Amino acid sequence: MNIHKIKYLAVISMIVDHVTSVFFSADAISYILIKLVGRVAAPAMCFALAQGFIHTSDRKKYLLRLIVFAVISQIPYSYYMSGSIWFPTGNMLFTLACSFLLLEVVKHYKNLGILSIPIAICILYIATFTDWFVFGPLFTLSFYLNKGNKDLQALCHACISFLSLGYSAYVCIQHGLPWYSQVWQIGAILIIPIIYLYNGQLGRKTSFNKWFFYLFYPLHLLMIRMIHWGF
């Protein structure tokens, strides 16, 4: 399985996740089961980003694309989440931008010296205001640091996924909700079989493959919410 196929798998998972969030009742068994599948999207994107960071010929352009489309996507994301143009959390592309910056710090830690630690902490702090909290950057970092060792990638990802579940359960308890209402979060570990299927290849280079995800992300959020509210 190449990177492009993993990206399209993330797209399918994302559609499933977002449609379920809007059209299904959160206390239904079907909601929990389908959301398990939907949790594949974020770690799949983080895995693709880690590979993109390794293989891209121009990291500055890569980061710029993430930031530009994160800004473009924020209003559709806010509309999807709250029905207005404002929502206090940044969308997933901001999470990926933070993840990319964290990889830059790790790659250049020798040049940055002791400054690499506070810079990395600041990036993780900024990530707390984005979708997937610090777990998106941590997913990406674990994939990157363990490149070439699929067993370690799988193990570290599983550990971070359980930390994510624990955090979600804690937040639920703080709000007087049962901790198990977030059990579907553990669906993030479903990326592990895909890690083992990854063949190290990018896939066919086309403009469509390059730009599709950036355009799809804001458009599908907008369309799902508009359909839900009958335009």
Side-chain angles (χ1 to χ4, degrees):
M1 181 176 288
N2 61 44
I3 284 298
H4 288 322
K5 289 181 179 178
I6 291 174
K7 285 183 178 180
Y8 287 116
L9 185 64
V11 164
I12 295 170
S13 174
M14 191 184 304
I15 293 172
V16 169
D17 187 72
H18 292 159
V19 168
T20 304
S21 294
V22 170
F23 292 100
F24 286 69
S25 173
D27 59 357
I29 297 297
S30 56
Y31 177 91
I32 295 173
L33 295 176
I34 299 173
K35 289 285 282 186
L36 283 169
V37 177
R39 293 291 87 182
V40 173
M45 287 187 285
C46 292
F47 185 81
L49 180 69
Q51 300 304 316
F53 182 87
I54 294 168
H55 298 294
T56 185
S57 58
D58 194 327
R59 292 195 180 101
K60 290 182 180 179
K61 286 185 178 180
Y62 199 140
L63 177 60
L64 181 61
R65 282 198 301 271
L66 285 171
I67 294 174
V68 168
F69 279 94
V71 173
I72 291 172
S73 300
Q74 188 58 31
I75 289 180
Y77 175 76
S78 298
Y79 181 63
Y80 169 81
M81 294 295 292
S82 67
S84 70
I85 63 171
W86 165 249
F87 190 71
T89 301
N91 63 74
M92 185 63 192
L93 293 181
F94 280 118
T95 305
L96 295 179
C98 289
S99 302
F100 195 96
L101 288 171
L102 186 60
L103 297 190
E104 283 284 4
V105 172
V106 171
K107 183 171 180 61
H108 299 289
Y109 78 95
K110 290 183 179 179
N111 294 329
L112 292 170
I114 193 67
L115 286 176
S116 60
I117 297 175
I119 293 173
I121 292 173
C122 286
I123 292 170
L124 289 173
Y125 175 72
I126 293 171
T128 65
F129 298 97
T130 71
D131 196 9
W132 275 90
F133 201 62
V134 299
F135 301 108
L138 291 179
F139 285 154
T140 311
L141 182 62
S142 69
F143 291 140
Y144 175 73
L145 291 178
N146 297 305
K147 55 184 179 291
N149 190 327
K150 293 185 178 184
D151 291 337
L152 272 179
Q153 285 182 328
L155 177 61
C156 291
H157 178 74
C159 290
I160 298 169
S161 296
F162 277 101
L163 283 175
S164 174
L165 173 61
Y167 173 76
S168 297
Y170 171 77
V171 171
C172 282
I173 293 170
Q174 290 295 104
H175 288 82
L177 300 171
W179 68 268
Y180 51 82
S181 64
Q182 292 289 303
V183 70
W184 45 268
Q185 295 281 5
I186 200 57
I189 65 172
L190 295 178
I191 189 65
I192 291 176
I194 298 169
I195 291 173
Y196 284 100
L197 290 172
Y198 174 54
N199 60 13
Q201 301 298 314
L202 173 64
R204 186 180 177 187
K205 287 187 178 182
T206 65
S207 295
F208 181 83
N209 283 332
K210 180 177 181 179
W211 295 104
F212 172 76
F213 174 75
Y214 293 107
L215 297 171
F216 162 81
Y217 181 70
L219 289 176
H220 94 284
L221 291 172
L222 195 60
M223 289 181 65
I224 289 172
R225 183 53 73 184
M226 289 176 69
I227 292 171
H228 179 240
W229 285 343
F231 296 89

